[in-house]
Amino acid sequence: MRDKSGEAAPGSPAVVGAVSAQNLVHLNGHIVTQNGHSPSTTRELDPQFESQVPSPEPSPPLAVPREQWGGRYEFLLSCIGYCVGLGNVWRFPYLCYRNGGGVFLIPYFIMLFVTGVPLFLMELSLGQYGAAGPITVWKCCPLLKGIGIGMLCVSILVCLYYNVIIAWTFYYLGSSFQSPLPWSCDALANAALCGNNTSGNSSGGRVLSPTEIFWNERVLGVVHSEGLHDPGPVRWPLALCLLAAWFIIFLCMLKGIRSSGKVVYVTATFPYFVLIVLVIRGATLEGSLQGIAFYLTPDWGRLANAQVWNDAASQIFYSLGIGVGGLLSMASYNKFDNNVIRDTLIITTGNCCTSFFAGFAIFSILGHMAWRKGVPVGKVADTGPGLAFVAYPEALALLPGSVFWSILFFLMLFMLGVDTLFGNMEGITTAVLDEFPHLRAKPLHKSLFLGTLCFCFYLMGLLLVTDGGIYWFTLIDSFSTSFGLIIITLFMCIGISFFYGVNQFCQDIIDMICHCPPWCTKVLLYFKACWVFFTPFLLLFILTYIFLEMYNTSLRYGSYVYPRWGKALGVCMGATCSLQILIWAIVAISKETGTLKDRFQKSIRPLNSWRVNNSTSAGQEEQRVDAERVEAPFTVTLTDMDFMAMTWEA
């Protein structure tokens, strides 16, 4: 009700019940968002509104405000650090030379702009608009809450094994302070091995190098394990390195994005400095051009091979971190009016250019090693841990001042790993804190939760630092981001495009960008076509190829072939992540009433609290909402005095 002056009557429920919190106006138990979207359901009438006299009861406590990035550069650096990880250094260069050299860049950039960039933008936009983590953000479509749970499962598996890589890096970093390097031929322990090529240290008749012996015997201890069924004892030097790695992660994330947002100024920029130094140093070495030619020599016939396109797509997912929840969580701390399209183009382009640039740093020095040994570059090139902890350290050991270059290289690997783990851990913590906001209210509770989480990850990670830990590491690495991740991103794309509505989603992006330049609107037309057609089609292609490859090929680590039960365990990991979508969809439908069709339609409608924008966003003008403009009916007890000197609005 309003009086003739247009102001709300002093005793009206509009004055009594209006409480603003994060752009919400609470009226008689109803929530009305300030962007004009009203909820479709109502709550029970609060007892204090049944009489004319306002109740002296205090208003409900306001929700704990979410943190925000200290600046746009903190978010950009955090995302770049999250995306630019170990895969850029040890996976992309290998895939490039294996799949036709420079020709591989064609499917790589096609997959980038058809699947990578659209899905990257979708995750950032969803997190920024909803200002929530990977689980809570699915208030936009409760039927798909399982996508958020699935993302959480993938993040847990990735964090479980990813910090083991940082533990290996710590071990090598500590060993790099010895002169000569313990894996070089200059070390006394390796003098006999390097001087006698007929040494008995061999695997399948092949002579092992000092770096391979150091990696397999001193670091992993894999020579003492028979396989997946025989993990053996914990290797305590690695266990201490793993404990130190988790302690550093805990300290850096103790104050949330306020602390990790400052750390990334160092961890995200230092690897670029090291890569530039390595490229300059590699260019001055004999044989470096041989390595670069091996890296980029095109083989046009490889474009007809489906594996090349699958490798390009898998590398995009692997390097951009799509579907894990880290991007969505980091974007949820953005200001509401942040230009998410601009950030997407900057981050994705920067990430892929870094991968390409890292190849020059890797293959220039590998080319020098091949020249020194008098063998083809293909004999010394490797991928994954084999490149980072065997081939490249051996190449560095051949350089003058090898101790310095080794320290620099493993310090770079540490920075790359920590940044990526920040994003994965942020996805887990944000998801839990949004579901249980009372943990966010008290810093002590939040710190205890983070400490408990890190300690639990450490205990579970001890399996991966046993003698047979590398077998478990390879198993989790192979299946945690395999078909389960593709299924999650496929349903995310379909759900937003067809259930939530691609037109509504594009409008949400335009609403966030206050002064949307014309180019943003035109670019959105391209992204709309990708979300509706091209991206789901390519995801289905990738998923089909993964299933065929998984069925036809066996999982291996070196000469060890995984047993069927081991491969089945890996399939169960991926299935557990993807089945969350089905389980929570059934839960969402069962909570509704009516026929099955009615239940389905209700479960895809956004909840009342979905369109909650951050009221502290910079440049966002405070809007006033008329208290009477509530679409849902509500009950008010009126007296004769209420009809005097007042008019009703239609």
Side-chain angles (χ1 to χ4, degrees):
M1 292 188 300
R2 290 180 176 272
D3 56 20
K4 293 181 179 179
S5 63
E7 300 294 333
S12 67
V15 176
V16 177
V19 179
S20 177
Q22 287 191 343
N23 255 13
L24 284 173
V25 179
H26 297 258
L27 300 172
N28 300 341
H30 304 280
I31 303 178
V32 181
T33 59
Q34 293 189 6
N35 56 8
H37 297 271
S38 300
S40 57
T41 59
T42 63
R43 298 180 182 175
E44 292 297 324
L45 179 66
D46 292 341
Q48 64 264 31
F49 294 142
E50 294 185 358
S51 62
Q52 178 188 3
V53 181
S55 171
E57 292 293 329
S59 60
L62 299 180
V64 179
R66 298 179 100 255
E67 299 171 300
Q68 285 191 340
W69 295 105
R72 183 168 67 90
Y73 294 108
E74 287 188 10
F75 170 69
L76 281 175
L77 287 175
S78 296
C79 284
I80 291 175
Y82 170 67
C83 297
V84 178
L86 297 168
N88 298 70
V89 174
W90 75 19
R91 195 165 186 264
F92 176 82
Y94 173 82
L95 290 179
C96 198
Y97 98 78
R98 191 184 75 176
N99 292 304
V103 173
F104 181 70
L105 297 177
I106 297 175
Y108 181 74
F109 280 102
I110 289 176
M111 289 296 181
L112 169 67
F113 289 108
V114 178
T115 59
V117 178
L119 290 173
F120 197 95
L121 175 62
M122 178 174 284
E123 270 205 60
L124 289 192
S125 303
L126 193 61
Q128 181 172 308
Y129 190 85
I135 298 178
T136 311
V137 79
W138 290 103
K139 294 182 293 186
C140 67
C141 184
L143 181 73
L144 300 178
K145 182 179 180 180
I147 293 177
I149 306 291
M151 288 180 173
L152 188 64
C153 294
V154 174
S155 292
I156 290 173
L157 290 174
V158 171
C159 289
L160 180 62
Y161 80 85
Y162 208 88
N163 216 15
V164 175
I165 304 174
I166 301 178
W168 295 339
T169 305
F170 261 136
Y171 192 92
Y172 270 85
L173 185 60
S175 301
S176 297
F177 285 92
Q178 303 177 38
S179 181
L181 294 174
W183 56 83
S184 69
C185 285
D186 295 330
L188 293 178
N190 301 325
L193 177 63
C194 294
N196 182 14
N197 289 335
T198 61
S199 172
N201 291 298
S202 62
S203 176
R206 184 177 64 87
V207 177
L208 297 180
S209 66
T211 52
E212 290 174 308
I213 294 175
F214 183 84
W215 168 245
N216 290 320
E217 295 184 9
R218 290 188 55 180
V219 180
L220 298 180
V222 68
V223 294
H224 306 298
S225 174
E226 296 180 358
L228 204 63
H229 63 284
D230 180 29
V234 172
R235 301 187 66 80
W236 291 109
L238 276 184
L240 292 177
C241 292
L242 184 63
L243 181 63
W246 277 116
F247 185 68
I248 290 175
I249 296 296
F250 170 74
L251 291 180
C252 292
M253 298 191 64
L254 187 59
K255 294 184 179 180
I257 60 172
R258 287 181 297 170
S259 55
S260 63
K262 301 297 184 293
V263 174
V264 294
Y265 279 104
V266 177
T267 58
T269 56
F270 181 77
Y272 286 96
F273 165 75
V274 176
L275 284 176
I276 292 173
V277 172
L278 289 176
V279 167
I280 295 174
R281 182 67 183 102
T284 63
L285 297 174
E286 197 72 38
S288 60
L289 292 180
Q290 179 185 355
I292 299 300
F294 185 80
Y295 172 44
L296 295 178
T297 300
D299 181 5
W300 297 99
R302 298 288 295 172
L303 287 178
N305 193 332
Q307 182 185 358
V308 175
W309 294 85
N310 179 72
D311 284 347
S314 63
Q315 175 61 18
I316 291 295
F317 273 86
Y318 192 88
S319 62
L320 290 180
I322 299 169
V324 186
L327 294 172
L328 202 151
S329 298
M330 289 189 288
S332 70
Y333 298 107
N334 267 341
K335 294 181 179 180
F336 182 74
D337 57 355
N338 179 62
N339 192 330
V340 69
I341 298 179
R342 175 199 58 206
D343 289 352
T344 296
L345 296 177
I346 292 174
I347 296 167
T348 54
T349 304
N351 171 73
C352 294
C353 290
T354 302
S355 297
F356 182 63
F357 183 71
F360 290 94
I362 298 298
F363 276 94
S364 61
I365 294 182
L366 289 183
H368 174 69
M369 181 171 71
W371 175 79
R372 289 279 296 267
K373 288 188 169 186
V375 298
V377 181
K379 294 290 185 181
V380 299
D382 203 348
T383 184
L387 173 64
F389 299 106
V390 178
Y392 208 73
E394 183 177 356
L396 294 175
L398 299 175
L399 300 180
S402 57
V403 171
F404 169 76
W405 296 111
S406 182
I407 292 173
L408 207 61
F409 174 72
F410 287 110
L411 199 57
M412 178 189 72
L413 288 188
F414 168 73
M415 299 288 186
L416 291 172
V418 164
D419 273 345
T420 302
L421 201 58
F422 280 164
N424 289 319
M425 286 292 292
E426 196 63 62
I428 297 174
T429 55
T430 302
V432 175
L433 293 178
D434 284 349
E435 289 294 301
F436 305 97
H438 61 276
L439 293 174
R440 198 189 297 272
K442 296 184 178 180
L444 178 60
H445 291 176
K446 182 179 177 181
S447 300
L448 289 175
F449 163 71
L450 181 61
T452 303
L453 184 65
C454 291
F455 186 68
C456 289
F457 273 127
Y458 169 71
L459 293 180
M460 291 187 292
L462 289 177
L463 174 64
L464 306 183
V465 293
T466 58
D467 287 341
I470 188 64
Y471 297 122
W472 289 94
F473 173 91
T474 304
L475 182 70
I476 299 175
D477 181 30
S478 300
F479 286 97
S480 61
T481 56
S482 182
F483 66 91
L485 181 63
I486 303 298
I487 292 175
I488 288 172
T489 52
L490 176 62
F491 274 89
M492 178 181 71
C493 187
I494 293 175
I496 293 296
S497 300
F498 299 102
F499 293 168
Y500 182 73
V502 68
N503 291 327
Q504 179 62 59
F505 189 65
C506 290
Q507 185 58 48
D508 292 343
I509 296 176
I510 294 175
D511 290 343
M512 285 191 293
I513 307 174
C514 293
H515 305 288
C516 185
W519 67 268
C520 285
T521 307
K522 295 177 181 178
V523 168
L524 274 178
L525 295 176
Y526 165 75
F527 287 128
K528 185 186 295 187
C530 289
W531 291 328
V532 172
F533 179 72
F534 296 111
T535 304
F537 174 78
L538 284 175
L539 289 176
L540 284 174
F541 161 75
I542 299 168
L543 190 61
T544 303
Y545 190 89
I546 288 176
F547 281 130
L548 291 175
E549 187 179 36
M550 188 169 57
Y551 178 78
N552 294 322
T553 60
S554 56
L555 182 63
R556 295 173 176 268
Y557 175 76
S559 60
Y560 175 74
V561 180
Y562 280 73
R564 286 188 177 182
W565 67 267
K567 191 173 180 179
L569 184 61
V571 172
C572 289
M573 293 180 192
T576 300
C577 299
S578 55
L579 283 177
Q580 300 300 321
I581 302 173
L582 176 63
I583 294 172
W584 290 94
I586 295 174
V587 171
I589 291 176
S590 64
K591 288 183 178 180
E592 303 297 341
T593 57
T595 64
L596 184 61
K597 181 179 179 180
D598 292 337
R599 289 170 181 249
F600 178 79
Q601 290 178 343
K602 291 178 182 178
S603 63
I604 64 175
R605 292 176 184 169
L607 299 181
N608 296 344
S609 54
W610 162 236
R611 298 183 183 279
V612 180
N613 303 333
N614 198 331
S615 60
T616 61
S617 296
Q620 185 177 4
E621 297 181 359
E622 183 180 357
Q623 302 175 9
R624 300 182 63 88
V625 178
D626 293 340
E628 295 79 19
R629 296 190 181 277
V630 181
E631 293 181 1
F634 57 92
T635 306
V636 179
T637 304
L638 301 174
T639 65
D640 292 340
M641 294 296 295
D642 293 313
F643 295 94
M644 298 176 61
M646 292 187 183
T647 59
W648 290 90
E649 281 191 356

